[in-house]
Each structure stands twice: as structure tokens, then as C-alpha cells.
């Protein structure tokens, strides 16, 4: 029987949902009544478990596609029918992978994949075949944080790792293979995160790189990186916790659970924290947030709630963590070393009422976990010629697919009436690259035409960006102008124009919040929020901006702190702090040689107060903890990182206007081994106050700059002959020949430390590092014979600054490479960002291979000086 163990629960929960939302669910009930019994039951499960934002944002037909296709798989394939029901529900049927836009895709993927599937001996082989197909359709490309739908990623052929994994999971589920995304929310050893895919095979979860096929499961370029993870998690969508596998719940995001998967990838230890008040009494229902330092911010990677004994615990990787504990207005912080030689299992934390502590810089160290790969040697066998042939074919198919691809909807929109041709062009120009990939012409058409009555009332750039523009935050771009206008009379609209703050008062009275049935990272669109009468705090802010724009009031969410603002008298005015005197923070740099890079070596966060939710109640520990965490959002106090721009620095001074409140400045110096030397400074700024703070950055010793990272031995096109053999020798004064030899980096490297510089000629970051070499040519000359410049092609050798550098520092070796996948893998192996040039690697021979002592991508002021220090340093 289909879903025999869960059918009664599903029916009961669906009746409860219809009772809570009778107006919204009436049409859904009618549509479900027309479906087959199995499809109806699958649909009810989806509606029971989806966030309210999904219910409002998407039509019934979207969910029908997921439900009917999953039922077809269950009816057709024995391996699907044999799955445990909770696996089928969460990892075959469910429409979500993470926070992506949802679109109809499963049946389409199934049709596309079927011809690619040959005979397979196991479901594991089938999973690898599907991943090979995924590689032929989609490849990695960095983009903004909004997650496009699996269908969009398939159409354009590119996505960042989160989007690749969303696409691959949907492809795998489309043929009946249980799949989920696993995610490192933040690495400890580098400023980044990563997502990949797991598949359920014969009762065991195995992993693979999304759209990155390997000849065996449990293998990917990220094996070593994953072994250094503090935490790896997955998501669970059901209303009851999982029964299989004893997976540990380590947090909630509203309606969704986070499950701990760390032990499958890294060595873990048991971490326990007991929370008491100042009298030593255990504190129940305190929120315990586990944080790592990443992108110069203390980012929460797990959230727990203490039991009746004041205890909360989890399995976690080795390495430093920061712990924040909160209950009501009381708060405490704890720094935990986490290295194997220093870590203990049990820690105590005492909650204290907030006080007026002295403002001062506090030093703290964050130690990254060491590399401890958990996978077996069997999974690292060399690929066969047949596998290499198939992956090469997949790469060729992908290149052919993406060649000259453009979203036809953009052209459709631009071909509208001639009178608005310039406005159409300008509207497209203010949208992001990702928006232009997945926008729909009919959506832009409505936003353009409904905005025209307000043209000429404000400066045109303000009109285009803050009245006509449909993009507000990371919500789905939809039609909402007509529905907003229909909801209010002309008299009400005129009142909103005269007093824009009254829009927020209207929203607060009309829209309720149901955090336990939402996802904080998924926004309810403006039209859906009005229909449902339910939306998250952020979705209500998006609705404010949408309503203001619809009524001709320029509005936005402030790019620094996401607070609502409207345009009046030539400036943007805050909605929630009207009448508060202006406050200003002035930052000054103690060392003018330091280049301050926001979200790299410093951040500023506002530690603002959220409302307190209702207390957990009942005997169901799971539900009580989940409700407590959901009601409180991310806790009573939460650091909100401001989105600042480094262009604000001028002559070593940075000025910014702030709302009154408590703030934290944080600076960090990340070392090549992943460790960080950090400082923070907590301060209060009051209404009308101007405060000056001198920024401080901790300096590292040369010995601390040394890393020890095994790197792939990438083959290069090596210029072997001496300069006298080349016509260009008089210009270059270096080893140069038109004839290449293919040699690996380890063969080119000498017995001492060798510097490899991957340079992108003509680009500003590369020119900065070349200028540093020229300015320090006397010091650098002694190690020029241990320096390898790696270029894309011979054309790069005509670049003036590159030629000047090679004339000033003769004796360097020139090599060539395509800067493709091998270079990206090399960058990842030293835990730096791929596709960000120059790539600087200082390496030395270890046995038959190379170990990196230092690695960095992009340019940072003083990089040359650091490299010289390490090259000349002797242990």
C-alpha cells in the first residue's frame, strides 16, 4: 500500500492545515479531490510540510508535477517501492532541496535523462550515470547568493555549487534515486562554504560532487577540505524527526530541521555545554549558537536548545569555535580552542544580565582543523580510459550547449513598443546578471507599464532603480503591482503617498508572522503576502518597498543593514528610526600600510534585539525545542553584519552613519594554514553621538605564515631553451623559446622554495602584484630563478607591465596553462577562491610531489612582502 505507515498522519495534518487556513486551502482541497488517491496523498504531504511562503508563491500545478511524477516512479520501479517511506517522502517526493526557486522540472529531467541511461548493474551505477549527464548540462560559475531554480540552471548551463547541487538532486530524484544536498555552511580553514550531493543506496548514504563525476562514489575534489570541516549538515523537511540512521538534530530554520552529517567526512568529538545562571541553577530552554570565524564574521553554523538540566551537546569537528548562549536578556560567550591536544568534552557557561562593560579590544585565536581524510584508498583508484572518454564527451556537450546562450525573454522585453525603448534598456541594466538569466518578459512588462504614471515625478535614475525596478531583495520576481493596487482604494493610496510610514503600519496590522511554519531564507512575494495575510519579518519589509513603489514612492531596503527607506526631499529616509538624531562612527587605521578589506579582514555588526517569542510548552521535547527556536528566530540577540563598501575609506578614515545600539567591530588575519589571529571591540552608540575607534589588526610572525598543504602536480607548458635561442630575448631577458615541453610543476621547481604566479595580464589585481615585484626588484632578484610566471598564452607576453617586470627582474621562468579545471583544483587545494587571479603559490618539493607553504588568490597589499619573507625564511 502506498505510504501505508504515514497515510493516517498525513491525512490528520492536512485536515489541521485546512482548518488553520480555510480561505487559502479551499481551492487546494477542490483540486486534490480531482486527483488519484496516491497523487492526492502525496500532494497532502507536500502541503503539510512546505513553508507558508511556498503555499503562497506557487500554484497548485507546480506541486502536482512533483507529486504525480513521484507516484509514477513508485508505481514503475521496484527499487523505489522498496525504499523506507521516510526516505521516499523526504528525498524522492519532496519539492525542495534548499532555498531555491521552485519550478516544474522532474518529469522533464526524467525524459531528458532516460536516453542517456544504458544498462546498469546497480542503483549506484545509475547514480553515477545521472551525475555524468549532469556534467554534460551544467558547470560551475560564481554568482550572487540568490539560488536559481533547477530548471533555470539546466537552461543556462551554469550555477554556483549550491545551484549545481540543487540541479543534481532534482535530476537524481527524477529517476527515483533518493538524494539530498549536504552543506558546509562555513569552512574554518578558509573564507568560503560548499555544497555537494548524497545518494541513498542500500541503506547507506554516499556522496558525490554535484555535476562533477568521478569513477567511484565517496570521492570529490573536496575530500581533503571536508575532512577539515567543523560541521556538515543536511536538511529534513518532515514534521516529525527522522527515525533511520540516528541522525542528530543540530538546529531548526523554522519548519525545516538541520541534521548533523559531520562524522561521515571528518574526525569528530563530543561537545557538551551546561548553562547555569549566576546562582549555579541550570537554565532550561537557553539558545546555544555554535559559531566559526569566516569572512571576518562569527557565523552561526548550529543552534541548540538546553534541556531541563541546562545541557546541550553535539558531535563536532576539531578546531576552534565561538559559542553564544542566550536566554531572555541574559547572554554569555565562550571561546573553545578545539584542537585535539587541548579540547575537552564538557564546558560550563554562566548567563549574566547585560551590563556596561569597558570598551576595549579583545584578542582571540581561531585554530582550523587539521586535514584527516576519512575515505578509503579504494575510492581513489585512477580513472579508466573509458571514464576519461565519457567525462571528455560530457565537457564537450556542455560547451556546445552554453555557446552563445541568451535568455530569449530579455529580447522579447526589449522588442516592446518604441516609445519606451530607452526605459526598457535601463530597466534591464539595473537588474543583476542572474536576474537577466531567469527573468520573464511578462513580469517586466507589468512593472514597466504600471510605473509609467509616475515618470517625471522624481529624477529618472531614482525612478528606474526605486520605482520601476521589481528587484527588492532576493525574492522571486513576480507580478504584484496590479494585485497591490486592487487591494486599496484611491483614498487609501493617496494617504500612503502623503505619509509613507503609514504603509508599514498597515502591513503590521494586516500581515501576521508564523515563524515555525516558515524558512527565514525563503521570502513570501508581495502579492502572496497580501493573499495569505502571513509573511516573515523580512518578507514584510519587501512588501513595504513593493507597496511604496506601486504608489509612486521611491523605496528600497538600505544596502548596508536592509532597513526600509523611502525617498523624500532628495534623500532616503528610514521608516523605523524617523526622528532619531543622526549617529556617526569614525574608524581610523593605526597602520596606514594595512589595506582594509571588508568581509576579509574586518566587519562591523549590529547586535540588535529581536522580540521574544512564546515559551515552549508540552511534553514533546522535539516539538517544544523546535517551537522555541522558531519563535525566537535566531535568538534574542543576533549579530547583523552590515554590508559595507571599502570605497568608504579615504586617507585612512572610514565614516558611517549608524542607528543607536550595541555594535561589534571584528578584525582578523588569516594565516596560510587556516588559523586566524583575531580581535573584537564591542561598543554602544547613543542617539546623536559621534564615536571614533582606531582599528587594530594582529600581525603574524613569519613562522605562523607557513602552511603545509599537499597540492596537485599540475602539468604546464614549459619554455625550456635559454634566452639566446629566442628572438624576444633582448626584451624579456628570461628563458624563452617558441617550442614548448610539457612538464609538471614538481619538475620545474628547484630544490628550494619555488614561487608560482598565475597571472591574468591586463587585469588590475595582476598589475598590482607585478608592480610590487618591480618596486622590490633588488630584493627579489636573488630569488628570480625560483620564480615561475604562468600565463594563458604567448599573447600575454606583449603586455607592457609584464614586459617591464621581466626586464627589471631577469631570470624568471615562463610557462603556459589554460587556467581551466586543473588551475581551479590547485586554488582549492590551498583553500583559496577559484577563478580569482592572480593565484600565488609558494611551494617546495616533498618526496615526489609538492607541498604549498603559502597560497593566496586575488591581490592583497603587501602580498609581495609576505612572499619574500617566507621565501627567505629558514626554519
Amino acid at each position: 500500500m502506498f505510504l501505508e505507515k504515514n497515510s493516517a498522519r498525513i491525512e490528520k495534518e492536512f485536515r489541521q492545515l485546512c482548518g488553520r487556513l480555510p480561505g487559502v486551502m479551499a481551492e487546494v482541497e477542490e483540486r486534490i479531490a480531482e486527483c488519484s488517491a496516491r497523487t492526492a496523498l502525496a500532494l497532502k504531504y507536500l502541503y503539510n510540510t512546505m513553508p507558508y511562503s511556498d503555499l503562497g508563491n506557487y500554484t497548485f500545478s507546480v506541486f502536482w508535477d512533483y507529486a504525480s511524477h513521484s507516484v509514477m516512479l513508485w508505481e514503475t520501479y521496484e527499487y523505489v517501492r522498496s525504499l523506507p517511506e521516510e526516505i521516499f517522502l523526504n528525498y524522492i517526493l519532496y519539492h525542495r532541496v534548499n532555498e531555491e526557486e521552485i519550478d516544474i522540472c522532474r518529469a522533464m529531467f526524467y525524459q531528458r535523462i532516460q536516453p542517456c541511461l544504458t544498462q546498469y548493474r546497480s542503483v549506484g551505477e545509475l547514480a553515477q550515470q545521472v551525475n555524468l549527464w549532469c556534467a554534460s548540462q551544467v558547470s560551475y560559475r560564481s554568482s550572487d547568493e540568490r539560488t536559481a531554480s533547477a530548471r533555470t540552471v539546466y537552461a543556462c548551463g551554469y550555477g554556483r555549487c549550491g545551484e549545481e547541487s540543487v540541479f543534481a538532486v532534482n535530476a537524481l530524484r527524477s529517476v527515483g534515486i533518493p538524494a539530498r544536498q549536504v552543506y558546509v555552511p562555513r569552512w574554518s580553514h578558509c573564507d568560503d562554504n560548499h555544497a555537494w550531493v548524497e545518494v541513498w543506496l542500500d541503506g547507506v548514504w554516499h556522496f558525490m560532487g554535484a555535476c562533477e563525476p568521478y569513477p567511484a562514489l565517496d570521492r570529490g575534489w573536496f575530500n581533503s577540505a571536508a575532512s577539515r570541516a567543523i560541521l556538515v549538515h543536511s536538511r529534513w523537511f518532515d514534521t516529525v524527526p527522522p527515525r533511520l540512521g540516528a541522525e542528530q538534530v543540530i538546529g531548526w530554520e523554522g519548519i525545516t530541521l538541520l541534521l548533523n552529517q559531520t562524522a561521515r567526512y571528518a574526525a569528530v568529538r563530543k561537545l557538551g555545554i551546561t548553562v547555569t545562571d549566576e546562582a549555579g541553577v541550570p537554565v532550561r530552554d537557553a539558545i546555544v549558537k555554535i559559531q566559526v570565524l569566516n569572512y571576518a564574521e562569527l557565523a552561526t553554523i548550529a543552534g541548540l536548545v538546553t534541556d531541563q538540566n541546562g545541557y546541550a551537546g553535539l558531535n563536532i569537528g576539531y578546531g576552534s569555535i565561538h559559542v553564544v548562549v542566550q536566554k531572555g536578556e541574559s547572554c554569555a560567550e565562550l571561546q573553545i580552542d578545539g584542537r585535539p591536544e587541548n579540547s575537552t568534552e564538557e564546558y560550563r557557561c554562566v548567563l549574566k544580565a547585560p551590563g556596561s562593560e569597558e570598551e576595549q579590544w579583545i584578542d582571540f585565536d581561531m585554530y582550523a582543523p587539521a586535514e584527516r581524510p576519512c575515505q578509503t584508498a579504494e575510492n581513489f583508484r585512477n580513472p579508466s580510459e573509458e571514464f576519461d572518454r565519457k567525462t571528455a564527451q560530457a565537457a564537450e556537450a556542455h560547451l556546445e550547449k552554453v555557446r552563445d546562450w541568451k535568455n530569449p525573454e530579455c529580447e522579447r522585453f526589449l522588442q516592446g513598443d518604441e516609445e519606451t525603448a530607452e526605459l526598457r534598456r535601463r530597466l534591464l541594466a539595473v537588474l543583476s546578471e542572474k536576474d537577466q538569466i531567469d527573468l520573464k518578459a511578462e513580469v517586466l512588462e507589468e512593472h514597466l507599464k504600471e510605473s509609467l504614471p509616475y515618470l517625471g515625478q522624481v529624477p529618472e535614475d531614482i525612478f528606474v532603480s526605486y520605482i520601476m525596478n521589481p528587484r527588492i531583495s532576493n525574492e522571486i520576481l513576480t507580478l504584484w503591482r496590479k494585485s497591490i493596487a486592487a487591494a486599496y482604494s484611491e483614498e487609501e493610496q493617496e494617504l500612503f503617498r502623503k505619509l509613507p510610514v503609514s504603509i508599514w503600519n498597515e502591513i503590521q496590522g494586516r500581515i501576521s508572522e508564523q515563524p515555525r511554519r516558515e524558512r527565514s531564507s525563503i521570502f513570501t512575494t508581495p502579492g502572496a503576502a497580501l493573499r495569505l495575510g502571513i509573511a516573515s519579518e523580512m518578507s514584510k519589509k519587501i512588501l513595504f518597498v513593493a507597496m511604496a513603489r506601486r504608489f509612486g514612492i521611491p523605496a528600497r531596503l538600505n544596502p548596508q543593514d536592509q532597513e526600509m527607506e523611502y525617498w523624500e526631499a532628495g534623500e532616503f529616509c528610514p521608516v523605523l528610526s524617523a526622528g532619531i538624531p543622526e549617529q556617526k562612527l569614525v574608524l581610523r587605521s593605526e597602520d596606514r600600510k594595512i589595506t582594509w578589506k571588508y568581509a576579509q579582514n574586518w566587519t562591523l555588526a549590529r547586535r540588535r534585539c529581536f522580540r521574544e517569542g512564546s515559551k515552549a510548552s508540552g511534553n514533546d521535547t522535539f516539538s517544544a525545542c523546535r517551537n522555541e527556536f522558531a519563535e525566537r528566530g535566531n535568538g534574542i540577540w543576533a549579530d547583523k553584519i552590515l554590508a559595507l563598501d571599502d570605497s568608504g575609506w579615504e586617507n585612512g578614515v572610514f565614516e558611517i552613519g549608524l542607528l543607536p545600539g550595541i555594535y561589534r567591530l571584528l578584525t582578523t588575519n588569516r594565516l596560510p594554514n587556516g588559523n586566524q589571529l583575531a580581535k573584537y571591540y564591542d561598543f554602544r552608540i547613543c542617539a546623536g553621538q559621534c564615536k571614533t575607534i582606531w582599528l587594530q589588526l594582529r600581525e603574524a610572525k613569519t613562522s605562523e605564515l607557513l602552511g603545509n598543504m599537499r597540492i596537485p602536480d599540475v602539468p604546464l607548458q614549459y619554455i625550456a631553451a635559454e634566452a639566446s635561442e629566442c628572438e624576444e630575448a633582448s626584451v624579456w631577458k628570461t628563458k624563452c623559446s617558441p617550442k614548448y615541453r610539457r612538464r609538471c610543476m614538481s619538475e620545474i621547481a628547484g630544490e628550494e622554495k619555488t614561487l608560482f604566479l598565475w597571472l591574468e595580464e591586463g587585469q588590475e589585481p595582476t598589475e598590482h602584484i607585478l608592480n610590487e615585484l618591480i618596486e622590490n626588484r633588488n630584493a627579489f632578484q636573488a630569488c628570480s630563478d625560483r620564480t615561475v610566471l604562468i600565463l594563458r598564452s604567448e599573447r600575454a607576453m606583449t603586455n607592457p607591465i609584464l614586459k617591464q617586470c621581466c626586464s627589471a627582474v631577469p631570470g624568471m621562468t615562463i610557462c603556459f596553462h589554460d587556467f581551466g579545471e586543473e588551475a581551479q583544483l590547485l586554488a582549492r587545494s590551498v583553500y583559496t577562491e577559484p577563478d580569482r587571479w592572480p593565484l600565488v603559490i609558494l611551494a617546495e618539493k616533498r618526496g615526489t610531489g609538492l607541498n604549498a607553504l603559502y597560497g593566496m588568490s586575488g591581490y592583497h597589499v603587501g602580498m609581495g612582502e609576505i612572499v619574500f619573507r617566507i621565501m627567505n625564511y629558514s626554519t
Side-chain angles (χ1 to χ4, degrees), residues 42 86 168 281 353 369 520 587 628 639 674 686 739 759 810 819 838 856:
E86 68 175 41
V281 178
S520 61
L587 300 178
E628 175 74 6
D639 290 358
C686 302
K739 295 182 180 179
L759 303 175
F819 285 48
M856 186 66 68

Side-chain angles (χ1 to χ4, degrees), residues 88-101:
F88 174 83
L89 289 169
N90 278 269
Y91 304 124
I92 295 285
L93 166 63
Y94 203 69
H95 62 287
R96 270 206 175 278
V97 178
N98 192 345
E99 57 193 27
E100 73 281 5
E101 181 178 348

Side-chain angles (χ1 to χ4, degrees), residues 713 715 718 742-750 756 845 848 850:
D713 202 0
Y718 172 65
R742 183 179 171 90
R743 297 181 68 179
C744 291
M745 291 170 62
S746 62
E747 297 177 273
I748 297 170
F756 294 90
K845 288 185 177 180
T848 58
L850 284 177

